[in-house]
Amino acid sequence: MRKPDPILAALASLVAACTTTVDPAADYDAARDGIAAATGVSGARTPAEPLLTAEEVEATLEDGLSLEEARSLALRNNRTLAAAFLEVGVARADVEQSGLLRNPTLGVAYLWPDGGGRKRIGGDLVQSVSDLWQLRFRRELAEAELRERVLEVVQLASQLSIDVEREFLELLATDESLQLAEREIELAQETVRLVSRKVEAGMARSTELAQARSRLADAQLVRSQAAQRLASGRQRLALQLSLTGDPARVKLLAPAASESRELPAVESLLALGDARRLDLRAAAVAVERADAALALERKRALPDVSVGREGEHPEGGTNTPFVGGFSGSVELPIFDSGRVAVRRAELLREQALAEQSAARHAAAQEIRAAHAAVAALAETREVIEARAGPAALQTVALTRTAFERGQGTALEFLQASTQAAALERARAQARSAVALARVELARACGGLP
């Protein structure tokens, strides 16, 4: 591909200097497309679009909020993301600025002789021409920085989507814990009444009644803690969605039950992460920016050259009413030859390459760790659900029947029911842990297919 002629580029810049505008609409669209590819959610709001009205937000919340709606609402309504989009517009302005020549300098002299005589008037118009061999490199650097800003917005949106999904799933798990605690309280209250009747009939000891009441108090404490976590989680979700008003009004809709997805092989996830992780793409763009910066510094190291047009109206008594000509100046690189700036740019490029290599290594280890976590938690969930659950529930039923018939003690019944309740909480926690681990695995891979 033929490189653009710097002189023609300079002339084009001179023509466009008075009409240059900054229109980042295409860059906003590029960021929105990148967000859709990274999150699977389209329709992120750009600064060119109005904010969601309170009526639009309430219409989304009216019939309950699903996970898909929560992620979409975050990308359309989050104020931090909206502010980050404007960084793309600023970067576009920098690109347009990088393509402009410096303004010429107009100088005027008004001189008069000490001994009398006619005054002398002169002037000069000077333009630096060093920009001619810097324009292309300045623009390449600005465009690389623009790509970085776009990727930063996409990264922020992708992380926001992951955070919303994590908070949403944690809230559902906390709500389930609250419901389990409510059922435990009902069972504990029934147990207290049952043991009280046995104590009154002389078929149980008062210490057993104290233990039953202690279990009721424990269940009430669990409920209180779950309610506090639920309130805190709702506030965090409301902040992520930039909601106003009481977050307690938001009703979450649980995703439809689905069969457990098969965990992909770690090798395929490593390849996926290498292709889709935004931080790796950002590291590659950082190397491109460092290359552009180095090329620009090498051009800046050349001496600055200026040319100009001079004219003077001489003293009276001469036959020449006007004297004019051309002038020029060349920077003398005596003290600063530009070598230090070039070497600094070289070191920054080496640093960008080293950081890119480190990011790739860290990404691979992160994916492996997230994959191992999902596998381990899924195995734990299967053990709890398939083995311990039915046995514990059967034990509770048997010990309760035995206690009611006077063939067992209240202590045995309390221990069995306490273990069953703990197991039910463990089952819920295991399911939640697997779901959250899969979210983390998706983040580590840059999104699962």
Side-chain angles (χ1 to χ4, degrees):
M1 181 177 179
R2 184 179 178 183
K3 295 183 178 179
D5 190 328
I7 296 179
L8 293 179
L11 293 176
S13 297
L14 285 172
V15 173
C18 297
T19 59
T20 298
T21 59
V22 179
D23 183 11
D27 306 301
Y28 291 154
D29 290 340
R32 178 158 57 185
D33 292 343
I35 292 171
T39 65
V41 179
S42 60
R45 191 185 66 83
T46 68
E49 300 169 339
L51 290 170
L52 293 179
T53 64
E55 291 75 15
E56 290 174 323
V57 173
E58 293 304 320
T60 303
L61 303 177
E62 185 176 0
D63 298 325
L65 187 67
S66 67
L67 176 57
E68 292 73 17
E69 290 174 331
R71 296 173 65 205
S72 177
L73 184 58
L75 297 182
R76 295 165 58 205
N77 200 49
N78 183 273
R79 299 302 192 264
T80 301
L81 180 60
F85 255 103
L86 294 174
E87 289 290 338
V88 175
V90 173
R92 168 51 63 184
D94 291 340
V95 170
E96 300 301 333
Q97 182 67 43
S98 70
L100 301 179
L101 291 171
R102 282 178 286 181
N103 292 324
T105 301
L106 175 64
V108 178
Y110 183 79
L111 308 174
W112 56 89
D114 291 339
R118 188 173 180 179
K119 301 178 178 58
R120 301 170 59 184
I121 300 175
D124 60 80
L125 183 66
V126 180
Q127 172 67 51
S128 173
V129 297
S130 299
D131 286 346
L132 295 178
W133 51 78
Q134 295 181 14
L135 280 178
R136 179 169 66 90
F137 302 97
R138 288 202 320 234
R139 191 170 186 88
E140 289 178 354
L141 176 58
E143 288 175 346
E145 292 174 344
L146 172 60
R147 291 194 295 274
E148 281 189 317
R149 301 293 86 76
V150 170
L151 272 177
E152 286 174 359
V153 172
V154 176
Q155 282 182 295
L156 178 61
S158 178
Q159 186 60 53
L160 174 63
S161 179
I162 290 291
D163 290 342
V164 167
E165 184 172 0
R166 175 180 290 278
E167 195 65 57
F168 192 96
L169 294 177
E170 288 182 346
L171 274 174
L172 288 177
T174 303
D175 187 61
E176 185 179 5
S177 297
L178 184 60
Q179 295 176 18
L180 289 176
E182 294 286 358
R183 291 200 293 268
E184 286 184 44
I185 290 175
E186 293 176 2
L187 179 59
Q189 291 172 339
E190 183 182 356
T191 302
V192 169
R193 290 192 294 269
L194 180 59
V195 176
S196 296
R197 290 196 297 269
K198 292 287 186 179
V199 170
E200 293 174 358
M203 300 175 63
R205 297 186 297 270
S206 58
T207 54
E208 293 175 326
L209 178 59
Q211 291 173 339
R213 288 172 175 168
S214 176
R215 179 168 178 264
L216 174 59
D218 291 340
Q220 291 171 335
L221 177 61
V222 170
R223 179 182 62 182
S224 176
Q225 293 172 341
Q228 292 176 1
R229 293 197 306 272
L230 188 63
S232 299
R234 287 183 180 276
Q235 290 176 345
R236 290 192 297 270
L237 182 62
L239 181 62
Q240 292 167 343
L241 304 182
S242 292
L243 300 180
T244 57
D246 187 2
R249 75 186 190 282
V250 181
K251 178 184 178 182
L252 303 185
L253 303 177
S258 60
E259 296 181 0
S260 298
R261 293 172 293 170
E262 183 179 355
L263 184 62
V266 68
E267 290 76 14
S268 64
L269 295 181
L270 289 172
L272 181 66
D274 190 57
R276 297 191 61 175
R277 279 187 63 126
L278 295 173
D279 58 338
L280 299 185
R281 290 169 56 188
V285 173
V287 173
E288 295 176 6
R289 176 176 56 79
D291 287 336
L294 176 58
L296 178 59
E297 288 299 338
R298 285 172 175 167
K299 292 299 179 181
R300 285 175 174 170
L302 299 175
D304 185 52
V305 178
S306 298
V307 296
R309 173 73 168 158
E310 291 193 10
E312 181 179 321
H313 182 57
E315 295 184 54
T318 65
N319 295 327
T320 305
F322 178 80
V323 177
F326 294 95
S327 65
S329 65
V330 178
E331 176 189 11
L332 299 179
I334 298 175
F335 303 109
D336 183 5
S337 64
R339 294 178 181 176
V340 174
V342 171
R343 182 52 184 160
R344 180 178 182 275
E346 291 174 344
L347 292 172
L348 288 174
R349 180 181 181 277
E350 294 175 10
Q351 181 185 28
L353 288 170
E355 290 176 348
Q356 183 185 35
S357 176
R360 287 175 175 170
H361 176 77
Q365 294 304 318
E366 190 175 357
I367 292 172
R368 290 184 182 277
H371 183 274
V374 172
L377 290 170
E379 183 178 357
T380 301
R381 180 194 60 191
E382 292 175 0
V383 170
I384 294 175
E385 291 184 345
R387 301 176 186 176
L393 294 177
Q394 184 178 12
T395 301
V396 172
L398 292 174
T399 55
R400 175 168 182 161
T401 301
F403 176 63
E404 290 176 343
R405 294 177 178 178
Q407 298 173 353
T409 65
L411 180 58
E412 293 172 341
F413 171 54
L414 287 171
Q415 289 176 340
S417 59
T418 300
Q419 291 174 356
L423 179 59
E424 190 64 27
R425 288 196 299 270
R427 292 176 63 184
Q429 292 170 358
R431 290 194 298 269
S432 173
V434 172
L436 292 173
R438 282 189 174 275
V439 172
E440 180 61 24
L441 180 59
R443 187 198 65 77
C445 295
L448 290 174

